[in-house]
Amino acid sequence: MSVSPSSLASIPVPDGKHFSSESHEQKSVTTELPTYPEIQLSPAQIRSALSRWLPESSILISEESKRPYETDGLSAYRQMPYVVVLPANEKEVQAVLRYAHEQRIPVVARGSGTGLSGGALPHARGILLSLARLNRILAIDPLARTVRVQPGVRNLAISQAVAPHGLYYAPDPSSQIACSIGGNVAENSGGVHCLKYGLTFHNVMSIRVLTMSGDLLELGSEAPETVGYDLMALMIGSEGLLAVITEIIVKVIAKPQTAKVILASFDRIEQAGDAVAQIIASGIIPAGLEMMDRLATRAAEDFVHAGYPVEAAAVLLCESDGLPIVVDEELARMKEILESAGASEIRVARDDDERQKFWAGRKAAFPAVGRLAPDYYCIDGTIPRSRLGEVLTQIAHWSQEFGLEVANVFHAGDGNLHPLILYDAAIPDAFEKTEALAAKILELCVAMGGTITGEHGVGVEKINQMCLQFGTEELEIFHGIRKAFDPTGLLNPGKAIPTLQRCAEIGGMHVHENRLPFPELPRF
Amino acid sequence: MQGDLEPLLAQVRRAYQESMPLSIRGGGSKRLPVTGESVLDMRLYSGVVEYQPSELFITVRAGTLLVAVERLLEENGQMLAFEPPHLGLQATVGGMVAAGLSGPRRMTAGALRDYVLGVRLIDGQGRDLSFGGRVIKNVAGFDVSRLMVGAWGTLGVITEVTLKVAPRFSHQMTLEWNLSETQALKRMNEWIGQSWPITATSHHQGHFRVRLEGSAASVEVSAKALAGGREVHDGKWWWSALREQQLDFFATPRPLWRIVVRPTAPPLGLSGQSLIEWGGGVRWMVCEHGSNQVGLVAHHAGGYAQRHPSMGVYPMMLGTNHEGQRIHRALRELFDPRSILNPALMAPEWASR
Ligand SMILES: Cc1cc2nc3c(=O)[nH]c(=O)nc-3n(C[C@H](O)[C@H](O)[C@H](O)COP(=O)(O)OP(=O)(O)OC[C@H]3O[C@@H](n4cnc5c(N)ncnc54)[C@H](O)[C@@H]3O)c2cc1C
């Protein structure tokens, strides 16, 4: 497997612009990265020190070799790393961490760099630690339905490896051909099948991690219970702040005997939102329940030719899987609900080919929408399902007000929105305007009783909105947890958890108990 | 809803100021060791805060009776999928989360931790804190809600919890086969790995039992496909008595161990009477072996052993290395700097002040 992020080339990004390294206008990084004035070592000195444990070819210091690592999936933020290190095994990772710990050099872990919140954005004076070479599948146990993998293994590679046993790994982020399982654990990633089969959290049994000091911890277990505090729960979704994940045991499950998907069209987007709430209320947990609005549907149709109804205001994809008899029952009930919710057309995929096509369009929706404008910005807020209609209407309203088009593609069953704001970074202020609109949408999600991030993480991107979602005391606890794992604060500094000072500067925005004086206070 | 938060907060603050240990008490169903000079009675703080069936969550105060919550969910065609043991009718929801116990559906529906979406808690300084939320997907901040599961109150007094709920099954059926332990273990793992609507398994005295749950048709079709099983008519009783540890097996005067292991681990080779559940993941043993031997056997099978009915105390903390212990201690100190919250539980030696 390739060690450079060129594996991203395999993700369906039509013109590569979202990942391209040619920067359009460069955004200065304004995270409060603590400075360590004592770092006097030059990159070359770091390399020669590290070469005691790793081959020199695994340590990159030249400008051009480091360039592919200066950004992740959130390409508006860029930062050239000081040194890039590509360890090939756990021992090498440990050596790098011990050295960095001793020398007080910040370390940023990186999987495949597909993260959408800047979690793997390098530190200007730090080591960018790529886990991409730890890419081996170590063991498959078909009877126990477990797979032991290194963190750099790609999500889809796990399903491919266990396919001969009739098994697969359920969490399926749209980026699954590229993103690493280590990155998935660090972000608690989801996918279209997570409504029924759970997020990464629910499908990981145990992990091995190295703390900043290079100490090894084994968390979780293959047994169904462990003793002690649930440190694994803290690690999952910790965005590279607590420890570096070096091995993972995931749970895989039997491929369903049958899977069928319905494509339903609606003339009004609120009808689609209501249908989602009604399906869930009826006691069905669909294997997938996804929505796209007209803009997204058209873009996806142009891109993959799935046969989507391009005139519809919204389409829903509802999947049922399991025993054939169960699928038939569920399908019949879902159709009934969709009809009574006012669907203008209901189509069931004729065969598995068509079913795959329906999903391919949904999974390629980001890059497809990406073709509509020079740049797009993806949001990841979550709201209660019953507020879908309301929130979408408000977003449409703001879209007009800001003069920025917004396409909506999302995990409707989980209430996880992904509004994609289209903009052109070449236009002065366009990015700032986009960020302001995004902030408003996230604020709305919090006000509706939801959250600023369902699955993409906080990273550098949503660090200000963390002040909105949490109070000072909760943030203090987060800092305390971080300190418990990494007293030096050298692991991924400046990400995910804002300093109290930063929140104070932004001003008391915290929405306690959803009592935000909503809706229209101009806070941004 | 009943009670106010303020008196609870005040009591914890006072305990903090005076460094006086508190025993957090729900229904008292888990019969835990008590150290606290005073008791923080959570039953005074109860009731449903919010329940929207179509949103698949319920938020309740910690002192709410578990049976009351289950009744409410049942009226709305829903349930707690992890099928929590009560171990007494007085069990409260807060105690359930603190104890982190799951029931027979553990291997197919998941554990309690999988269903916790958010908690509100009082930390050891008497601060009222909220983590997580009411939506299924949420990755903002570290997952403190789930850290509280199985922490036995030592990281905070849980005052409110939001749980994900699931639709109930309309039908169930229990089937039985005569099988040896080895055969049963193999079959449990094979069948759970296929897509049958199996929601519980057990093996005891040569009887291998499987519970199917789902729609009428799916239960029927599956019962036919899993050939050779005979339907038993005490199925409902069996799973609930097993969950509540009320079978005669549990009433033995001899040492009884709950051994949690890798589900595919071969028979443990301890001589005595056994009861296997959770697809092989839990092996109850009545045996006379010493605790070191049982512990070692459990360790080799990828897990740990605990003498029944002791709960909530893990004396040999906890097979984790120096760094792991350092982190555990640091967390305890963060959430409870003066070790006033249930200091007799978890690893009591860490609570030394
Ligand atoms: C087109 C597209 C579609 C996407 N669709 C989805 C989707 O459907 N669902 C979803 O949840 N996400 C989605 N994402 C986001 C992204 O793919 C996920 O967050 C993914 O899990 C990131 O994995 P990665 O290997 O690329 O991690 P990176 O981007 O390299 O890193 C992400 C974070 O994890 C940390 N990290 C990485 N590896 C380790 C490790 N071994 N130890 C400790 N920390 C580590 C990094 O420091 C960083 O903070 C999408 C992204 C793109 C570009």
Side-chain angles (χ1 to χ4, degrees), chain A residues 216 224-225 229-230 254 329 385-386 451 453 455 474 476 484, chain B residues 55 106 113 127 130 137-139 154 193 215 258 321 326 328:
Chain A
L216 181 74
E225 272 177 10
Y229 296 142
D230 196 342
E329 284 173 355
R385 278 170 288 259
S386 56
T451 170
T453 173
E455 59 182 13
E474 283 84 359
E476 263 172 36
Chain B
E55 295 294 330
R106 163 71 182 93
R113 72 196 280 274
R127 301 187 298 181
S130 291
K137 281 166 121 177
N138 183 2
V139 292
T154 60
S215 68
R258 182 171 184 267
N321 62 13
R326 188 190 63 69
H328 271 83

PDB file of all heavy atoms in Angstrom, chain A residues 216 224-225 229-230 254 329 385-386 451 453 455 474 476 484, chain B residues 55 106 113 127 130 137-139 154 193 215 258 321 326 328:
ATOM      1  N   LEU A 216       2.778   1.568  26.607  1.00  0.00           N
ATOM      2  CA  LEU A 216       1.749   0.795  25.920  1.00  0.00           C
ATOM      3  C   LEU A 216       0.562   0.514  26.839  1.00  0.00           C
ATOM      4  O   LEU A 216       0.737   0.162  28.002  1.00  0.00           O
ATOM      5  CB  LEU A 216       2.348  -0.541  25.470  1.00  0.00           C
ATOM      6  CG  LEU A 216       1.391  -1.457  24.699  1.00  0.00           C
ATOM      7  CD1 LEU A 216       1.166  -0.942  23.294  1.00  0.00           C
ATOM      8  CD2 LEU A 216       1.941  -2.875  24.663  1.00  0.00           C
ATOM      9  N   PRO A 224     -16.606 -10.072  26.685  1.00  0.00           N
ATOM     10  CA  PRO A 224     -17.667  -9.066  26.597  1.00  0.00           C
ATOM     11  C   PRO A 224     -17.688  -8.021  27.718  1.00  0.00           C
ATOM     12  O   PRO A 224     -18.494  -7.107  27.669  1.00  0.00           O
ATOM     13  CB  PRO A 224     -18.948  -9.894  26.608  1.00  0.00           C
ATOM     14  CG  PRO A 224     -18.571 -11.208  27.181  1.00  0.00           C
ATOM     15  CD  PRO A 224     -17.126 -11.421  26.891  1.00  0.00           C
ATOM     16  N   GLU A 225     -16.824  -8.147  28.701  1.00  0.00           N
ATOM     17  CA  GLU A 225     -16.743  -7.124  29.749  1.00  0.00           C
ATOM     18  C   GLU A 225     -15.304  -7.000  30.206  1.00  0.00           C
ATOM     19  O   GLU A 225     -14.556  -7.967  30.153  1.00  0.00           O
ATOM     20  CB  GLU A 225     -17.587  -7.520  30.971  1.00  0.00           C
ATOM     21  CG  GLU A 225     -19.028  -7.086  30.918  1.00  0.00           C
ATOM     22  CD  GLU A 225     -19.838  -7.566  32.121  1.00  0.00           C
ATOM     23  OE1 GLU A 225     -19.257  -8.085  33.103  1.00  0.00           O
ATOM     24  OE2 GLU A 225     -21.058  -7.430  32.073  1.00  0.00           O
ATOM     25  N   TYR A 229     -11.945   1.433  34.658  1.00  0.00           N
ATOM     26  CA  TYR A 229     -12.679   2.471  33.935  1.00  0.00           C
ATOM     27  C   TYR A 229     -12.614   2.208  32.437  1.00  0.00           C
ATOM     28  O   TYR A 229     -11.648   1.624  31.947  1.00  0.00           O
ATOM     29  CB  TYR A 229     -12.086   3.853  34.250  1.00  0.00           C
ATOM     30  CG  TYR A 229     -12.228   4.253  35.695  1.00  0.00           C
ATOM     31  CD1 TYR A 229     -11.205   4.938  36.349  1.00  0.00           C
ATOM     32  CD2 TYR A 229     -13.381   3.951  36.414  1.00  0.00           C
ATOM     33  CE1 TYR A 229     -11.330   5.312  37.679  1.00  0.00           C
ATOM     34  CE2 TYR A 229     -13.511   4.316  37.737  1.00  0.00           C
ATOM     35  CZ  TYR A 229     -12.478   4.993  38.376  1.00  0.00           C
ATOM     36  OH  TYR A 229     -12.608   5.352  39.681  1.00  0.00           O
ATOM     37  N   ASP A 230     -13.621   2.659  31.741  1.00  0.00           N
ATOM     38  CA  ASP A 230     -13.720   2.390  30.301  1.00  0.00           C
ATOM     39  C   ASP A 230     -12.851   3.378  29.520  1.00  0.00           C
ATOM     40  O   ASP A 230     -13.346   4.295  28.877  1.00  0.00           O
ATOM     41  CB  ASP A 230     -15.189   2.491  29.878  1.00  0.00           C
ATOM     42  CG  ASP A 230     -15.437   1.866  28.521  1.00  0.00           C
ATOM     43  OD1 ASP A 230     -14.459   1.661  27.772  1.00  0.00           O
ATOM     44  OD2 ASP A 230     -16.610   1.596  28.195  1.00  0.00           O
ATOM     45  N   ALA A 254     -22.038 -11.061   9.920  1.00  0.00           N
ATOM     46  CA  ALA A 254     -22.447 -11.830   8.744  1.00  0.00           C
ATOM     47  C   ALA A 254     -23.112 -10.917   7.724  1.00  0.00           C
ATOM     48  O   ALA A 254     -23.902 -10.049   8.080  1.00  0.00           O
ATOM     49  CB  ALA A 254     -23.437 -12.916   9.166  1.00  0.00           C
ATOM     50  N   GLU A 329     -41.344  -8.009   4.751  1.00  0.00           N
ATOM     51  CA  GLU A 329     -42.266  -7.352   5.689  1.00  0.00           C
ATOM     52  C   GLU A 329     -41.928  -5.871   5.873  1.00  0.00           C
ATOM     53  O   GLU A 329     -42.793  -5.002   5.797  1.00  0.00           O
ATOM     54  CB  GLU A 329     -42.181  -8.012   7.082  1.00  0.00           C
ATOM     55  CG  GLU A 329     -42.878  -9.340   7.213  1.00  0.00           C
ATOM     56  CD  GLU A 329     -42.602  -9.991   8.583  1.00  0.00           C
ATOM     57  OE1 GLU A 329     -41.798  -9.455   9.387  1.00  0.00           O
ATOM     58  OE2 GLU A 329     -43.190 -11.049   8.828  1.00  0.00           O
ATOM     59  N   ARG A 385     -34.446  14.023  14.959  1.00  0.00           N
ATOM     60  CA  ARG A 385     -35.106  13.796  13.671  1.00  0.00           C
ATOM     61  C   ARG A 385     -36.363  14.631  13.480  1.00  0.00           C
ATOM     62  O   ARG A 385     -36.660  15.076  12.384  1.00  0.00           O
ATOM     63  CB  ARG A 385     -35.506  12.323  13.547  1.00  0.00           C
ATOM     64  CG  ARG A 385     -34.409  11.428  13.104  1.00  0.00           C
ATOM     65  CD  ARG A 385     -34.878  10.004  13.261  1.00  0.00           C
ATOM     66  NE  ARG A 385     -34.919   9.671  14.672  1.00  0.00           N
ATOM     67  CZ  ARG A 385     -33.989   8.965  15.291  1.00  0.00           C
ATOM     68  NH1 ARG A 385     -32.990   8.484  14.617  1.00  0.00           N
ATOM     69  NH2 ARG A 385     -34.051   8.722  16.577  1.00  0.00           N
ATOM     70  N   SER A 386     -37.096  14.851  14.572  1.00  0.00           N
ATOM     71  CA  SER A 386     -38.373  15.549  14.434  1.00  0.00           C
ATOM     72  C   SER A 386     -38.182  17.004  14.020  1.00  0.00           C
ATOM     73  O   SER A 386     -39.125  17.659  13.620  1.00  0.00           O
ATOM     74  CB  SER A 386     -39.139  15.483  15.754  1.00  0.00           C
ATOM     75  OG  SER A 386     -38.337  16.010  16.782  1.00  0.00           O
ATOM     76  N   THR A 451     -25.951  18.529  18.260  1.00  0.00           N
ATOM     77  CA  THR A 451     -24.526  18.698  18.538  1.00  0.00           C
ATOM     78  C   THR A 451     -23.812  19.264  17.318  1.00  0.00           C
ATOM     79  O   THR A 451     -24.310  19.173  16.199  1.00  0.00           O
ATOM     80  CB  THR A 451     -23.900  17.346  18.958  1.00  0.00           C
ATOM     81  OG1 THR A 451     -22.476  17.484  19.009  1.00  0.00           O
ATOM     82  CG2 THR A 451     -24.231  16.253  17.967  1.00  0.00           C
ATOM     83  N   THR A 453     -21.007  18.250  16.081  1.00  0.00           N
ATOM     84  CA  THR A 453     -20.388  17.255  15.207  1.00  0.00           C
ATOM     85  C   THR A 453     -20.883  15.853  15.502  1.00  0.00           C
ATOM     86  O   THR A 453     -20.797  15.374  16.624  1.00  0.00           O
ATOM     87  CB  THR A 453     -18.833  17.322  15.224  1.00  0.00           C
ATOM     88  OG1 THR A 453     -18.322  16.217  14.466  1.00  0.00           O
ATOM     89  CG2 THR A 453     -18.262  17.292  16.622  1.00  0.00           C
ATOM     90  N   GLU A 455     -19.971  13.115  13.446  1.00  0.00           N
ATOM     91  CA  GLU A 455     -18.989  12.084  13.106  1.00  0.00           C
ATOM     92  C   GLU A 455     -17.674  12.628  12.544  1.00  0.00           C
ATOM     93  O   GLU A 455     -16.727  11.861  12.409  1.00  0.00           O
ATOM     94  CB  GLU A 455     -19.602  11.091  12.109  1.00  0.00           C
ATOM     95  CG  GLU A 455     -20.071  11.750  10.818  1.00  0.00           C
ATOM     96  CD  GLU A 455     -20.732  10.788   9.834  1.00  0.00           C
ATOM     97  OE1 GLU A 455     -21.057   9.661  10.234  1.00  0.00           O
ATOM     98  OE2 GLU A 455     -20.904  11.175   8.667  1.00  0.00           O
ATOM     99  N   GLU A 474     -17.182  21.762  32.174  1.00  0.00           N
ATOM    100  CA  GLU A 474     -17.046  20.563  31.341  1.00  0.00           C
ATOM    101  C   GLU A 474     -15.732  20.624  30.549  1.00  0.00           C
ATOM    102  O   GLU A 474     -15.030  19.622  30.413  1.00  0.00           O
ATOM    103  CB  GLU A 474     -18.222  20.427  30.365  1.00  0.00           C
ATOM    104  CG  GLU A 474     -19.513  19.923  30.993  1.00  0.00           C
ATOM    105  CD  GLU A 474     -20.327  21.034  31.654  1.00  0.00           C
ATOM    106  OE1 GLU A 474     -19.877  22.200  31.632  1.00  0.00           O
ATOM    107  OE2 GLU A 474     -21.416  20.733  32.198  1.00  0.00           O
ATOM    108  N   GLU A 476     -13.071  22.113  31.427  1.00  0.00           N
ATOM    109  CA  GLU A 476     -11.999  21.835  32.393  1.00  0.00           C
ATOM    110  C   GLU A 476     -11.809  20.327  32.555  1.00  0.00           C
ATOM    111  O   GLU A 476     -10.684  19.834  32.624  1.00  0.00           O
ATOM    112  CB  GLU A 476     -12.362  22.417  33.760  1.00  0.00           C
ATOM    113  CG  GLU A 476     -11.753  23.770  34.039  1.00  0.00           C
ATOM    114  CD  GLU A 476     -12.312  24.372  35.328  1.00  0.00           C
ATOM    115  OE1 GLU A 476     -12.582  23.619  36.296  1.00  0.00           O
ATOM    116  OE2 GLU A 476     -12.504  25.578  35.347  1.00  0.00           O
ATOM    117  N   ALA A 484      -4.531  13.621  32.024  1.00  0.00           N
ATOM    118  CA  ALA A 484      -4.365  12.300  32.630  1.00  0.00           C
ATOM    119  C   ALA A 484      -3.611  11.373  31.669  1.00  0.00           C
ATOM    120  O   ALA A 484      -2.758  10.604  32.072  1.00  0.00           O
ATOM    121  CB  ALA A 484      -5.727  11.705  32.995  1.00  0.00           C
TER     122      ALA A 484
ATOM    123  N   GLU B  55     -37.881   9.563  18.631  1.00  0.00           N
ATOM    124  CA  GLU B  55     -36.460   9.943  18.634  1.00  0.00           C
ATOM    125  C   GLU B  55     -35.599   8.835  19.215  1.00  0.00           C
ATOM    126  O   GLU B  55     -34.370   8.952  19.284  1.00  0.00           O
ATOM    127  CB  GLU B  55     -36.245  11.230  19.431  1.00  0.00           C
ATOM    128  CG  GLU B  55     -36.910  12.460  18.818  1.00  0.00           C
ATOM    129  CD  GLU B  55     -36.302  12.845  17.476  1.00  0.00           C
ATOM    130  OE1 GLU B  55     -35.106  12.600  17.274  1.00  0.00           O
ATOM    131  OE2 GLU B  55     -37.032  13.375  16.631  1.00  0.00           O
ATOM    132  N   ARG B 106     -26.938  -9.300  25.563  1.00  0.00           N
ATOM    133  CA  ARG B 106     -25.629  -8.657  25.419  1.00  0.00           C
ATOM    134  C   ARG B 106     -24.920  -8.983  24.106  1.00  0.00           C
ATOM    135  O   ARG B 106     -24.386  -8.097  23.439  1.00  0.00           O
ATOM    136  CB  ARG B 106     -24.721  -9.077  26.604  1.00  0.00           C
ATOM    137  CG  ARG B 106     -23.230  -8.838  26.427  1.00  0.00           C
ATOM    138  CD  ARG B 106     -22.926  -7.348  26.472  1.00  0.00           C
ATOM    139  NE  ARG B 106     -21.518  -7.033  26.273  1.00  0.00           N
ATOM    140  CZ  ARG B 106     -20.970  -6.754  25.093  1.00  0.00           C
ATOM    141  NH1 ARG B 106     -21.706  -6.774  24.003  1.00  0.00           N
ATOM    142  NH2 ARG B 106     -19.697  -6.447  24.993  1.00  0.00           N
ATOM    143  N   ARG B 113     -23.240   0.061  27.829  1.00  0.00           N
ATOM    144  CA  ARG B 113     -22.403   1.174  27.363  1.00  0.00           C
ATOM    145  C   ARG B 113     -22.758   1.605  25.938  1.00  0.00           C
ATOM    146  O   ARG B 113     -22.580   2.753  25.569  1.00  0.00           O
ATOM    147  CB  ARG B 113     -20.913   0.825  27.475  1.00  0.00           C
ATOM    148  CG  ARG B 113     -20.439  -0.182  26.453  1.00  0.00           C
ATOM    149  CD  ARG B 113     -19.088  -0.786  26.820  1.00  0.00           C
ATOM    150  NE  ARG B 113     -17.935   0.030  26.497  1.00  0.00           N
ATOM    151  CZ  ARG B 113     -17.318   0.041  25.314  1.00  0.00           C
ATOM    152  NH1 ARG B 113     -17.773  -0.694  24.313  1.00  0.00           N
ATOM    153  NH2 ARG B 113     -16.251   0.786  25.120  1.00  0.00           N
ATOM    154  N   ARG B 127     -19.985  19.878  41.641  1.00  0.00           N
ATOM    155  CA  ARG B 127     -20.351  20.658  40.457  1.00  0.00           C
ATOM    156  C   ARG B 127     -21.339  19.866  39.600  1.00  0.00           C
ATOM    157  O   ARG B 127     -21.224  18.657  39.461  1.00  0.00           O
ATOM    158  CB  ARG B 127     -19.108  20.977  39.624  1.00  0.00           C
ATOM    159  CG  ARG B 127     -18.069  21.759  40.412  1.00  0.00           C
ATOM    160  CD  ARG B 127     -16.922  22.202  39.539  1.00  0.00           C
ATOM    161  NE  ARG B 127     -16.189  21.092  38.949  1.00  0.00           N
ATOM    162  CZ  ARG B 127     -15.131  21.254  38.162  1.00  0.00           C
ATOM    163  NH1 ARG B 127     -14.696  22.464  37.857  1.00  0.00           N
ATOM    164  NH2 ARG B 127     -14.504  20.205  37.671  1.00  0.00           N
ATOM    165  N   SER B 130     -22.730  18.363  32.572  1.00  0.00           N
ATOM    166  CA  SER B 130     -23.464  17.601  31.550  1.00  0.00           C
ATOM    167  C   SER B 130     -22.541  17.175  30.424  1.00  0.00           C
ATOM    168  O   SER B 130     -21.750  17.977  29.934  1.00  0.00           O
ATOM    169  CB  SER B 130     -24.565  18.465  30.932  1.00  0.00           C
ATOM    170  OG  SER B 130     -25.572  18.696  31.862  1.00  0.00           O
ATOM    171  N   LYS B 137     -25.627  10.338  17.329  1.00  0.00           N
ATOM    172  CA  LYS B 137     -24.264  10.590  16.892  1.00  0.00           C
ATOM    173  C   LYS B 137     -23.767  11.887  17.487  1.00  0.00           C
ATOM    174  O   LYS B 137     -24.406  12.921  17.323  1.00  0.00           O
ATOM    175  CB  LYS B 137     -24.226  10.699  15.371  1.00  0.00           C
ATOM    176  CG  LYS B 137     -24.244   9.369  14.684  1.00  0.00           C
ATOM    177  CD  LYS B 137     -24.552   9.580  13.259  1.00  0.00           C
ATOM    178  CE  LYS B 137     -23.457   9.063  12.368  1.00  0.00           C
ATOM    179  NZ  LYS B 137     -23.859   9.243  10.959  1.00  0.00           N
ATOM    180  N   ASN B 138     -22.618  11.815  18.131  1.00  0.00           N
ATOM    181  CA  ASN B 138     -22.111  12.988  18.808  1.00  0.00           C
ATOM    182  C   ASN B 138     -20.654  12.743  19.140  1.00  0.00           C
ATOM    183  O   ASN B 138     -20.343  11.889  19.949  1.00  0.00           O
ATOM    184  CB  ASN B 138     -22.920  13.192  20.093  1.00  0.00           C
ATOM    185  CG  ASN B 138     -22.514  14.440  20.832  1.00  0.00           C
ATOM    186  OD1 ASN B 138     -21.641  15.194  20.378  1.00  0.00           O
ATOM    187  ND2 ASN B 138     -23.147  14.669  21.957  1.00  0.00           N
ATOM    188  N   VAL B 139     -19.760  13.454  18.490  1.00  0.00           N
ATOM    189  CA  VAL B 139     -18.354  13.239  18.815  1.00  0.00           C
ATOM    190  C   VAL B 139     -17.686  14.498  19.370  1.00  0.00           C
ATOM    191  O   VAL B 139     -16.473  14.609  19.361  1.00  0.00           O
ATOM    192  CB  VAL B 139     -17.539  12.690  17.607  1.00  0.00           C
ATOM    193  CG1 VAL B 139     -17.985  11.291  17.281  1.00  0.00           C
ATOM    194  CG2 VAL B 139     -17.661  13.581  16.388  1.00  0.00           C
ATOM    195  N   THR B 154     -17.707   6.196  41.300  1.00  0.00           N
ATOM    196  CA  THR B 154     -16.465   6.761  41.822  1.00  0.00           C
ATOM    197  C   THR B 154     -15.962   7.943  41.006  1.00  0.00           C
ATOM    198  O   THR B 154     -14.997   8.592  41.388  1.00  0.00           O
ATOM    199  CB  THR B 154     -15.346   5.700  41.876  1.00  0.00           C
ATOM    200  OG1 THR B 154     -15.124   5.213  40.541  1.00  0.00           O
ATOM    201  CG2 THR B 154     -15.742   4.530  42.764  1.00  0.00           C
ATOM    202  N   GLY B 193     -23.074 -15.855  14.717  1.00  0.00           N
ATOM    203  CA  GLY B 193     -22.379 -15.270  13.578  1.00  0.00           C
ATOM    204  C   GLY B 193     -23.165 -15.309  12.281  1.00  0.00           C
ATOM    205  O   GLY B 193     -22.747 -14.743  11.282  1.00  0.00           O
ATOM    206  N   SER B 215     -40.274 -10.673  14.334  1.00  0.00           N
ATOM    207  CA  SER B 215     -41.657 -10.780  13.884  1.00  0.00           C
ATOM    208  C   SER B 215     -42.058 -12.254  13.907  1.00  0.00           C
ATOM    209  O   SER B 215     -41.202 -13.137  13.936  1.00  0.00           O
ATOM    210  CB  SER B 215     -41.782 -10.228  12.468  1.00  0.00           C
ATOM    211  OG  SER B 215     -41.102 -11.078  11.567  1.00  0.00           O
ATOM    212  N   ARG B 258     -18.200 -15.902  38.529  1.00  0.00           N
ATOM    213  CA  ARG B 258     -18.634 -15.411  37.222  1.00  0.00           C
ATOM    214  C   ARG B 258     -17.353 -15.151  36.434  1.00  0.00           C
ATOM    215  O   ARG B 258     -16.554 -14.285  36.788  1.00  0.00           O
ATOM    216  CB  ARG B 258     -19.430 -14.116  37.371  1.00  0.00           C
ATOM    217  CG  ARG B 258     -19.953 -13.562  36.059  1.00  0.00           C
ATOM    218  CD  ARG B 258     -20.909 -12.402  36.332  1.00  0.00           C
ATOM    219  NE  ARG B 258     -21.512 -11.887  35.120  1.00  0.00           N
ATOM    220  CZ  ARG B 258     -21.006 -10.865  34.414  1.00  0.00           C
ATOM    221  NH1 ARG B 258     -19.925 -10.254  34.824  1.00  0.00           N
ATOM    222  NH2 ARG B 258     -21.621 -10.469  33.325  1.00  0.00           N
ATOM    223  N   ASN B 321      -1.081  -2.149  33.537  1.00  0.00           N
ATOM    224  CA  ASN B 321       0.306  -1.849  33.880  1.00  0.00           C
ATOM    225  C   ASN B 321       0.424  -0.518  34.620  1.00  0.00           C
ATOM    226  O   ASN B 321      -0.568   0.146  34.914  1.00  0.00           O
ATOM    227  CB  ASN B 321       1.174  -1.866  32.613  1.00  0.00           C
ATOM    228  CG  ASN B 321       0.722  -0.801  31.617  1.00  0.00           C
ATOM    229  OD1 ASN B 321      -0.063   0.089  31.947  1.00  0.00           O
ATOM    230  ND2 ASN B 321       1.212  -0.892  30.404  1.00  0.00           N
ATOM    231  N   ARG B 326      -1.668   4.678  36.494  1.00  0.00           N
ATOM    232  CA  ARG B 326      -1.458   6.121  36.653  1.00  0.00           C
ATOM    233  C   ARG B 326      -2.650   6.895  36.064  1.00  0.00           C
ATOM    234  O   ARG B 326      -3.170   7.829  36.674  1.00  0.00           O
ATOM    235  CB  ARG B 326      -0.160   6.547  35.946  1.00  0.00           C
ATOM    236  CG  ARG B 326       0.230   8.000  36.219  1.00  0.00           C
ATOM    237  CD  ARG B 326       1.373   8.487  35.322  1.00  0.00           C
ATOM    238  NE  ARG B 326       1.044   8.490  33.903  1.00  0.00           N
ATOM    239  CZ  ARG B 326       0.175   9.319  33.325  1.00  0.00           C
ATOM    240  NH1 ARG B 326      -0.463  10.214  34.052  1.00  0.00           N
ATOM    241  NH2 ARG B 326      -0.070   9.242  32.029  1.00  0.00           N
ATOM    242  N   HIS B 328      -5.731   5.737  35.500  1.00  0.00           N
ATOM    243  CA  HIS B 328      -6.923   5.500  36.330  1.00  0.00           C
ATOM    244  C   HIS B 328      -6.928   6.429  37.547  1.00  0.00           C
ATOM    245  O   HIS B 328      -7.926   7.054  37.877  1.00  0.00           O
ATOM    246  CB  HIS B 328      -6.956   4.044  36.827  1.00  0.00           C
ATOM    247  CG  HIS B 328      -7.653   3.101  35.902  1.00  0.00           C
ATOM    248  ND1 HIS B 328      -7.044   2.534  34.813  1.00  0.00           N
ATOM    249  CD2 HIS B 328      -8.915   2.622  35.902  1.00  0.00           C
ATOM    250  CE1 HIS B 328      -7.899   1.744  34.189  1.00  0.00           C
ATOM    251  NE2 HIS B 328      -9.041   1.774  34.829  1.00  0.00           N
TER     252      HIS B 328
END
